[in-house]
Amino acid sequence: MFYYVDGTVTVLEQGLAVIDCGGVGYACHASQNTIGKLKIGAHARLLTYLNVREDIFELYGFIDEEEQSCFKMMLGVSGVGPKAALSILSVAPPDRLALSIITGDEKMLMQAPGIGKKIAQRIVLELRDKMSKEQLETASAASPTVVAAVASGVNHTQEAVAALMVLGYSQAEALHAMEGLDAAGMEAEEIIRQCLKKLVKQ
């Protein structure tokens, strides 16, 4: 129903951003990651997700497609609702969340209020299962950069490729974004961050 809201930021609170669009204020539940990038009185465009269930009618706002994609993926995990997904995104932005899933770092997810060990483990297991072993092997074989990193005992590049795929990018897009990066000397999170900058500009 709502694809995005585009207007002026009028209210910023913990977990909430109000965007004035032509005189109508849209209250969007948002992560601290999104809220931290907004400023009252400034223009903003948030991608949205409308949660409708019986007497519930809630609008969620996201600063970019990666955050929205992560939110929707987590909703597909049994036992994870919109509030839990938003709580996780507040402590683990998309790049960090994707890396946590690939590396099995459930403790990162448990830093989010209301997220216990069982839910964190379920998120990691269910979302990591979407990345098949064959996909990772193909990604490694397709890029000299990845092959060199793996051969030297550094798996950061392979983790970064997998994390970008968790965020919804194809292998080709992930590998293309790594062109020109000195990936062998970078941590996985930094590789992901640099690749996302390039992918957003495309």
Side-chain angles (χ1 to χ4, degrees), residues 134-165:
E134 290 76 15
Q135 284 179 305
L136 297 185
E137 290 176 346
T138 300
S140 295
S143 169
T145 305
V146 177
V147 173
V150 173
S152 64
V154 180
N155 294 313
H156 296 157
T157 311
Q158 188 177 23
E159 290 174 351
V161 170
L164 288 167
M165 291 171 69

Side-chain angles (χ1 to χ4, degrees), residues 1-6 15-19 21 24-31 46-53 56-62 68 71 82-83 86:
M1 184 177 181
F2 297 102
Y3 188 79
Y4 64 80
V5 291
D6 189 307
L16 181 71
V18 176
I19 311 297
C21 304
V24 178
Y26 291 88
C28 300
H29 295 282
S31 70
L46 298 182
L47 296 173
T48 58
Y49 174 88
L50 183 62
N51 181 42
V52 180
R53 191 182 64 209
I56 296 176
F57 194 87
E58 299 173 322
L59 194 62
Y60 289 79
F62 311 94
Q68 184 189 50
F71 179 84
K83 291 183 179 179
L86 208 63

Side-chain angles (χ1 to χ4, degrees), residues 22-113:
V24 178
Y26 291 88
C28 300
H29 295 282
S31 70
Q32 290 307 113
N33 172 53
T34 287
I35 290 176
K37 296 176 181 177
L38 301 178
K39 183 178 179 180
I40 291 180
H43 171 266
R45 181 183 184 188
L46 298 182
L47 296 173
T48 58
Y49 174 88
L50 183 62
N51 181 42
V52 180
R53 191 182 64 209
E54 297 178 0
D55 59 340
I56 296 176
F57 194 87
E58 299 173 322
L59 194 62
Y60 289 79
F62 311 94
I63 196 68
D64 52 37
E65 292 181 358
E66 287 78 25
E67 190 182 47
Q68 184 189 50
S69 175
C70 285
F71 179 84
K72 290 180 177 179
M73 281 194 301
M74 284 191 285
L75 292 186
V77 177
S78 176
V80 178
K83 291 183 179 179
L86 208 63
S87 179
I88 291 172
L89 286 170
S90 289
V91 300
D95 56 347
R96 197 173 302 166
L97 174 62
L99 188 58
S100 296
I101 291 169
I102 293 303
T103 60
D105 185 7
E106 60 194 49
K107 290 183 179 180
M108 167 61 74
L109 307 186
M110 290 170 62
Q111 292 179 23

